[in-house]
Amino acid sequence: MAHYYFENPLSIDDDFMTIRTRFAPSPTGYLHIGGVRTALFNWLLAKQAGGQFILRIDDTDTRRNLEDTLQPILDGFSWLGLDWDEGPEVGGPHTPYFQSQRLEHYQTAAKRLLASGHAYRDYSSPEEMAAERETAEKEKRDFVYSRTWMAETDEQAAEFESQGRSFVVRLKMPREGKCEFRDVVRGDVSFDWGRESDHVIQRGDGTCLYHLANVVDDHDFEVTHVVRAVEHLSNTPRQVFILQSLGYEMPQYAHVPFVAEPGSKNKLSKRKIDQYLNNKEFKRLYQSGAEIAKRIGVEADPYSFNPVLVDFYRDIGFLPDAVLNYLVLLGWSLDDKTENFSREEMLEHFSADRIVRSEASFDCQKLLSFQASYMNALPLKQKTKMCLGFLQKADLVSDPVACEQGDVISQIVEAAGDRICMAGDILKFDTFFIADEDMEFEDKPFQKRMVKPENAGFLLAEFNKVLNAADSFDAPSLEAELHGFCEAQGVGVGDIIHALRVAVTGKAAGFGMFDTLAILGRQRSCNRIQIALDELAKRVEANQ
RNA sequence: GGCCCCUUCGUCUAGUGGUCUAGGACUCCGGCCUUUCACGCCGGCAACACGGGUUCGAGUCCCGUAGGGGUCACCA
């Protein structure tokens, strides 16, 4: 970093400032894909500058079991490889990183705000407040609290209390002027102070609210860049007010657009799954995921398991890098061509000022396409390992796997090639793991390839003899055998190969025929052909 | 409704006044390859929301309109 000093002596401070960013999830039990994108931007910004990425848990208002609701989020980050330098599990110099454990910090800040006159005790009742609000609405003007029940001195407070009132702490917001600041994504922004209401920062019971907690924590944790979704932009003035009143330095703000629903500009929400399921691509992704989930014993309830949530991708065998690559391009781009970014490339090239200002809809197809290409580029060994996990979870393969079966699985994965998009796709090729007698023939292909062609049965029976006698059973030899056979019989390869596929796998489509036979091996191949032949005879008889 | 924001192919985007008859990617549609499926390769369809300015020249600057979104809690 030192070289900056010589190249650009005017910005020493900037260059030597350690960038610290944070992501502050509420423990909700799931990790939202849009949240991950925001987290990714934060992570990139910190890491590319040698700074720190902090995970802070915003649990000021949760009564839920923290253990159950936080762990999935942490697991999600771990899976994605978005490591945090400070936060739960890893600790850090500003421990604790849970808002629920930092109440005294907020209370101290509230006290200071009270003492400096930037906040006041408010003795209004909720009903009185609501009435004022309603009146303002009726008169079609902005609601500005009359401050009728404001107590700035102990005497006033005592009087309200003698009326049996209790108080909350409200911000005494400025009533004129503008709040102006520069946002890395949105440029110069400005809000009229006069439109800001006197927000509550501390409840009657002494607990504190989000905005106060947020500002205090960002300051205590020395956060330099606040990168968050745009829905917080309109909250920013009150936070600026708090931080200025407390004498804190203002962080750099970057309000990034939210991730929108597939095919719309509404904010993506996990609550609207029903609606997204009407989207063709979304539904298709969900269904293929659900199918995999079902087979490996993961509960596939659409509300807790769907393409909006990160768990979904992990559970069905996506690659974290593919998800990240897709997400980094959702609202950010380097130039007009580059699409593929490894983690290192992201770190090298990401810059907040190239974040797009408009919201971006979530597109399953494009995510899938990244996944396909990343999976395809994965070395066979790793791909096999991933697939193996799914076979074991589906009880198709023992755990630990027998040595010779390991080789077979590797062969299957290799032969499957890019037909395996997500690792769970291996389950589509379960025919290799099923006992010959348990194999089922899909009806339509059986009819079309076996029953309908008159000579299918004959050719298959004859070729079965050839297979039985074949010298070697590897794919190239088998191919030679079949071609020789066809020539001798005076038929085309197409006249038998389809029937052969159906006989041996039960299905119309699959990967290379000779690979399939080789993997199955002589005994099983011949056995299956015989079973198919028997089935054919049965059906023909039934038809007569 | 007030305030704020956004608006280039169906989707993600490039574009900072002049090779923009608007580029790339995903999808889709053809074709090739091929024993099926998939991949791959080649090709194609497809966009500057609208209306006014400013300018020799506007996707790019200004104003307005429309549409979309966010936000207005003792939630975060």
Side-chain angles (χ1 to χ4, degrees):
Chain A
M1 264 224 164
H3 63 284
Y4 283 116
Y5 178 83
F6 301 105
E7 280 176 21
N8 193 358
L10 290 178
S11 56
I12 302 170
D13 286 353
D14 278 359
D15 288 334
F16 282 90
M17 181 177 74
T18 304
I19 291 187
R20 289 170 62 84
T21 62
R22 49 61 164 185
F23 184 67
S26 272
T28 49
Y30 58 85
L31 187 54
H32 189 281
I33 195 93
V36 172
R37 204 239 352 212
T38 306
L40 172 63
F41 286 179
N42 272 288
W43 184 84
L44 287 170
L45 215 55
K47 296 294 187 169
Q48 71 180 176
Q52 292 89 39
F53 173 62
I54 303 163
L55 209 53
R56 181 185 79 210
I57 308 306
D58 281 14
D59 56 350
T60 52
D61 193 49
T62 37
R63 284 151 229 105
R64 282 172 285 201
N65 184 332
L66 193 62
E67 179 78 17
D68 292 348
T69 52
L70 179 60
Q71 204 53 48
I73 293 172
L74 266 23
D75 290 347
F77 276 107
S78 301
W79 178 66
L80 289 164
L82 298 181
D83 55 319
W84 55 102
D85 300 288
E86 294 171 30
E89 292 179 349
V90 301
H94 304 289
T95 303
Y97 291 86
F98 293 85
Q99 291 197 325
S100 58
Q101 295 169 30
R102 300 179 49 77
L103 180 60
E104 56 193 281
H105 297 265
Y106 314 143
Q107 288 175 332
T108 305
K111 248 179 233 158
R112 279 184 56 202
L113 255 11
L114 236 21
S116 64
H118 294 287
Y120 59 87
R121 284 165 285 180
D122 179 51
Y123 285 88
S124 65
S125 68
E127 295 73 31
E128 285 158 344
M129 215 56 183
E132 283 203 10
R133 211 181 293 272
E134 208 171 300
T135 309
E137 206 165 300
K138 251 182 219 153
E139 294 171 7
K140 291 194 191 303
R141 58 174 170 81
D142 289 333
F143 165 65
V144 180
Y145 175 39
S146 66
R147 293 177 180 166
T148 305
W149 297 277
M150 169 173 79
E152 290 190 291
T153 64
D154 290 343
E155 291 73 38
Q156 292 168 321
E159 190 182 332
F160 286 128
E161 266 164 44
S162 72
Q163 298 170 14
R165 291 173 178 272
S166 59
F167 73 93
V168 297
V169 179
R170 303 191 96 101
L171 253 17
K172 193 175 182 188
M173 297 293 284
R175 295 252 158 121
E176 54 191 33
K178 282 178 184 301
C179 172
E180 289 172 330
F181 58 92
R182 173 167 288 242
D183 185 283
V184 178
V185 178
R186 327 209 71 91
D188 290 323
V189 290
S190 120
F191 295 87
D192 287 335
W193 281 125
R195 293 182 191 286
E196 289 290 319
S197 56
D198 289 355
H199 305 280
V200 176
I201 54 173
Q202 187 172 20
R203 298 186 181 93
D205 64 4
T207 60
C208 292
L209 263 20
Y210 169 74
H211 294 289
L212 209 221
N214 183 259
V215 168
V216 170
D217 286 345
D218 283 347
H219 172 261
D220 286 357
F221 296 169
E222 300 173 86
V223 169
T224 58
H225 292 66
V226 172
V227 182
R228 46 154 57 152
V230 249
E231 54 257 46
H232 289 284
L233 185 59
S234 48
N235 298 150
T236 307
R238 80 190 67 163
Q239 296 189 3
V240 168
F241 177 75
I242 296 172
L243 107 214
Q244 286 177 340
S245 303
L246 255 13
Y248 297 166
E249 205 174 311
M250 188 143 89
Q252 286 273 329
Y253 288 109
H255 286 94
V256 308
F258 54 78
V259 176
E261 300 170 343
S264 110
K265 292 296 182 194
N266 291 348
K267 193 166 89 176
L268 188 65
S269 153
K270 64 110 180 42
R271 281 176 231 104
K272 289 155 82 177
I273 295 306
D274 287 340
Q275 190 187 317
Y276 306 156
L277 254 15
N278 291 328
N279 177 282
K280 214 173 76 190
E281 287 76 32
F282 191 92
K283 186 176 179 183
R284 202 187 312 162
L285 215 207
Y286 168 71
Q287 284 178 333
S288 42
E291 217 158 286
I292 294 168
K294 210 165 65 188
R295 301 200 52 181
I296 60 171
V298 167
E299 205 191 322
D301 167 47
Y303 289 93
S304 57
F305 181 81
N306 65 60
V308 171
L309 311 177
V310 170
D311 291 16
F312 178 87
Y313 300 99
R314 184 195 56 205
D315 290 347
I316 66 179
F318 267 64
L319 261 1
D321 282 3
V323 176
L324 254 24
N325 197 153
Y326 170 71
L327 288 178
V328 80
L329 289 175
L330 201 56
W332 177 85
S333 71
L334 174 64
D335 55 29
D336 59 338
K337 293 217 164 52
T338 319
E339 290 267 327
N340 293 320
F341 290 91
S342 67
R343 215 166 278 246
E344 291 68 33
E345 287 164 335
M346 277 182 211
L347 284 165
E348 188 185 340
H349 296 296
F350 184 77
S351 65
D353 56 6
R354 284 193 64 83
I355 294 174
V356 171
R357 265 187 294 273
S358 57
E359 53 288 297
S361 343
F362 179 69
D363 180 358
C364 295
Q365 304 252 48
K366 191 141 186 170
L367 173 53
L368 224 33
S369 126
F370 274 110
Q371 168 59 21
S373 79
Y374 272 79
M375 195 57 147
N376 205 220
L378 196 69
L380 180 63
K381 212 171 163 182
Q382 288 171 48
K383 204 163 152 184
T384 303
K385 198 174 159 197
M386 276 182 88
C387 290
L388 177 61
F390 282 86
L391 292 170
Q392 289 171 332
K393 278 185 230 160
D395 279 329
L396 258 17
V397 168
S398 65
D399 185 6
V401 64
C403 190
E404 67 281 3
Q405 200 174 19
D407 290 344
V408 173
I409 293 164
S410 175
Q411 282 174 46
I412 293 168
V413 172
E414 186 172 24
D418 42 44
R419 290 171 189 83
I420 295 176
C421 173
M422 48 201 109
D425 282 341
I426 187 70
L427 300 176
K428 289 181 189 164
F429 307 110
D430 60 356
T431 180
F432 295 104
F433 303 95
I434 292 176
D436 299 341
E437 51 280 9
D438 292 340
M439 200 178 53
E440 282 173 23
F441 298 102
E442 282 180 10
D443 209 44
K444 251 171 110 176
F446 193 88
Q447 202 62 27
K448 184 176 172 193
R449 299 304 191 184
M450 297 281 292
V451 180
K452 211 172 145 211
E454 276 177 15
N455 57 350
F458 168 75
L459 289 173
L460 224 42
E462 289 303 307
F463 188 60
N464 206 11
K465 291 177 196 162
V466 174
L467 287 180
N468 241 318
D471 292 332
S472 48
F473 221 77
D474 57 280
S477 313
L478 290 167
E479 182 161 9
E481 292 284 3
L482 184 77
H483 282 290
F485 172 79
C486 287
E487 214 164 295
Q489 293 289 332
V491 296
V493 169
D495 291 326
I496 177 172
I497 204 157
H498 302 293
L500 186 57
R501 180 185 302 283
V502 175
V504 146
T505 67
K507 293 177 175 141
F511 40 79
M513 191 65 254
F514 306 107
D515 286 329
T516 305
L517 291 173
I519 292 167
L520 237 25
R522 188 197 308 273
Q523 199 192 341
R524 297 184 75 194
S525 296
C526 294
N527 194 214
R528 286 185 176 203
I529 291 171
Q530 194 50 56
I531 292 172
L533 253 17
D534 294 346
E535 175 72 17
L536 176 64
K538 221 169 24 181
R539 293 205 191 186
V540 170
E541 199 175 320
N543 280 345
Q544 281 166 356

